[in-house]
Amino acid sequence: DSNADDLGDGPRRYDFNRPTSISRTFEQNLQSVGESFAKTGTIDFTSLMRMTTTVEFLGLKQITFSEYLEELPNPTCGAMVTLAPLKGYSVVHIDLGLCFVFLKKLMGGTPDMEDSVREFTEIERGINAGLVGRFTEIFRKAASKFIKVDAGFVNLENNTNYLSGISDGEAMIILRFNVKVDTVEGPVELGL
């Protein structure tokens, strides 16, 4: 059992179905990308929203895709993207309440929290696809000192059950951020 206690000074048990560690160098590189994403995102979104926007890097988390989907609220704003030359799909998750704040501000309104949680209309879906594109562009800039990434938008979903293209047991590394617009804040996550 991989959940068993340590065996003292002897060997530790390792579950090959659930890898729990990445190399220290790779982790440091991802930390650097996350911190760069936060700095660039703060500047970019403050300019876009024309009000103080803060992006804070909260760290890394390693989890399987199925466990990650279970953690996401439903409805949500989840997008599948490609980050070539990285293989497969990646997930961009933006807090649904935060999406509505961005929408209101971009359409000339006040950035107040949405009273009720609901799915997007077709117009809102198109605007949020652009918002996801903005986040992936910021990631491209942040990762550029390590690898040249070409981001591509695949689809945007409000229902987590429709996010597909990654097998359930696939290990993911989640870069976690907190975005604050005026007095409203929410999580943004990028799953690789």
Side-chain angles (χ1 to χ4, degrees), residues 120-162:
F120 297 138
T121 64
E122 287 304 311
I123 293 172
E124 292 169 340
R125 185 177 299 279
I127 293 170
N128 277 305
L131 184 63
V132 168
R134 194 84 171 217
F135 276 106
T136 55
E137 176 61 21
I138 293 169
F139 178 77
R140 184 194 66 75
K141 290 177 186 175
S144 65
K145 75 178 190 181
F146 297 106
I147 186 171
K148 184 178 182 231
V149 176
D150 184 26
F153 178 79
V154 177
N155 68 339
L156 178 79
E157 294 293 342
N158 287 125
N159 189 336
T160 57
N161 296 326
Y162 296 134

Side-chain angles (χ1 to χ4, degrees), residues 17-30:
N17 295 321
R18 295 190 46 140
T20 56
S21 65
I22 56 177
S23 74
R24 188 173 304 269
T25 305
F26 186 56
E27 183 177 356
Q28 290 170 346
N29 290 346
L30 286 175

Side-chain angles (χ1 to χ4, degrees), residues 66-140:
S66 61
E67 292 170 336
Y68 181 63
L69 288 182
E70 289 174 10
E71 290 180 357
L72 295 178
N74 201 2
T76 192
C77 177
M80 300 301 285
V81 297
T82 57
L83 298 172
L86 303 178
K87 295 180 180 174
Y89 295 110
S90 296
V91 178
V92 177
H93 169 252
I94 305 171
D95 179 62
L96 195 60
L98 193 61
C99 284
F100 283 113
V101 169
F102 276 108
L103 281 169
K104 287 179 182 179
K105 183 62 180 161
L106 291 173
M107 293 181 178
T110 58
D112 298 325
M113 190 62 121
E114 185 73 12
D115 295 333
S116 63
V117 177
R118 60 178 173 80
E119 293 188 2
F120 297 138
T121 64
E122 287 304 311
I123 293 172
E124 292 169 340
R125 185 177 299 279
I127 293 170
N128 277 305
L131 184 63
V132 168
R134 194 84 171 217
F135 276 106
T136 55
E137 176 61 21
I138 293 169
F139 178 77
R140 184 194 66 75

Side-chain angles (χ1 to χ4, degrees), residues 28-48:
Q28 290 170 346
N29 290 346
L30 286 175
Q31 292 271 356
S32 177
V33 168
E35 290 165 3
S36 179
F37 181 96
K39 289 176 190 172
T40 306
T42 296
I43 294 167
D44 190 76
F45 283 110
T46 296
S47 174
L48 176 68

